[in-house]
Amino acid sequence: MIRQLSVAVFTLMLPCAFAQDAPAPAASAAAKPVAMLDVRAQAPIHGDANAGAGKAAVCGACHGPQGVAIAPNFPNLAGQSATYIYLQLKAFKGGQRNDPIMTGQAATLSDQDMRNLAAHYAALPAKPAGKPDAASRGAQLFLAGDPAKGVPPCQGCHGAAGQGPTGGWLGAPHTAWQTFPRLAGQSAFYIGQQLGDYHHGKRVGISNGKLMEGVAQNLDEADIQALGAYIQSL
């Protein structure tokens, strides 16, 4: 669930000019649509955490030296599913996700680099738990959803404590459960922004994004803020 809720980021600009007599660009130069990244049958990712640590120095500028973000618009990576991190890097590299910072960073990574970085961050201790308000609107949405609005409970994919599912996906044994992220402790700002991106159809390049798009369509601004506050407190 996420506007995708407050914990994330980013804008692009690129000026260009043509001489007065320059010919119009050929139609064949038009960019081809990027194929959706289907993660439904993704096997769990494994990598070399030590090798990943050696490449993570530049990542620390935004995500913190220990994977806990330095500002609320960046996501925490510590303790995140290695499979999830790998797939997001793969999506940035393949164009299914776009960000002026991450697109450039991922462009230079090999597939093994991405696996190693994912293993490194998955091995780091997650941000300590907070004190969630079990009576809040955010708790209601996260744990029970809102059937009247067509909103399913977030815990179905992200775990009851927001730490990601720890076994079969929705009760069924399937490797796809590892493609859902840990949300606990992400900033309300980042969660809100991501849920907003899902709501406006900006994060649908990955198959899981289509699921989140449907969920976010039924969340209003107050719901998104409530979810962000609750998730940040987990």
Side-chain angles (χ1 to χ4, degrees), residues 79-100:
Q80 187 60 270
S81 157
T83 303
Y84 179 79
I85 293 177
Y86 166 78
L87 288 170
Q88 300 313 300
L89 288 172
K90 187 175 180 178
F92 281 123
K93 186 178 178 73
Q96 287 88 3
R97 283 191 71 179
N98 292 290
D99 177 86

Side-chain angles (χ1 to χ4, degrees), residues 22-221:
S28 61
K32 294 181 179 179
V34 176
M36 178 179 289
L37 179 60
D38 189 344
V39 304
R40 290 174 296 177
Q42 175 65 54
I45 291 300
H46 303 285
D48 183 334
N50 289 329
K55 293 193 70 70
V58 66
C59 310
C62 295
H63 300 289
Q66 293 300 311
V68 176
I70 64 170
N73 56 312
F74 301 114
N76 301 322
L77 300 182
Q80 187 60 270
S81 157
T83 303
Y84 179 79
I85 293 177
Y86 166 78
L87 288 170
Q88 300 313 300
L89 288 172
K90 187 175 180 178
F92 281 123
K93 186 178 178 73
Q96 287 88 3
R97 283 191 71 179
N98 292 290
D99 177 86
I101 297 176
M102 285 305 305
T103 297
Q105 293 295 330
T108 63
L109 298 175
S110 68
D111 189 76
Q112 190 61 52
D113 288 337
M114 292 188 282
R115 292 170 184 269
N116 294 345
L117 281 166
H120 164 64
Y121 282 111
L124 293 176
K127 185 178 178 181
K131 296 181 179 180
D133 180 359
S136 67
R137 170 63 173 167
Q140 175 196 342
L141 288 167
F142 195 91
L143 297 172
D146 188 337
K149 296 178 70 171
V151 178
C154 309
Q155 69 161 315
C157 293
H158 300 286
Q163 297 179 6
T166 56
W169 177 57
L170 300 183
H174 196 294
T175 57
W177 65 269
Q178 296 192 56
T179 68
F180 293 92
R182 173 192 177 94
L183 299 182
Q186 298 289 8
S187 78
F189 179 87
Y190 178 79
I191 291 296
Q193 190 216 5
Q194 299 308 302
L195 283 178
D197 284 350
Y198 282 124
H199 182 86
H200 295 293
K202 296 180 179 179
R203 279 199 59 179
V204 294
I206 305 176
S207 54
N208 284 357
K210 296 300 293 183
L211 174 65
M212 279 304 307
E213 180 185 30
V215 171
Q217 287 299 313
N218 296 319
L219 296 172
D220 58 29
E221 185 63 31

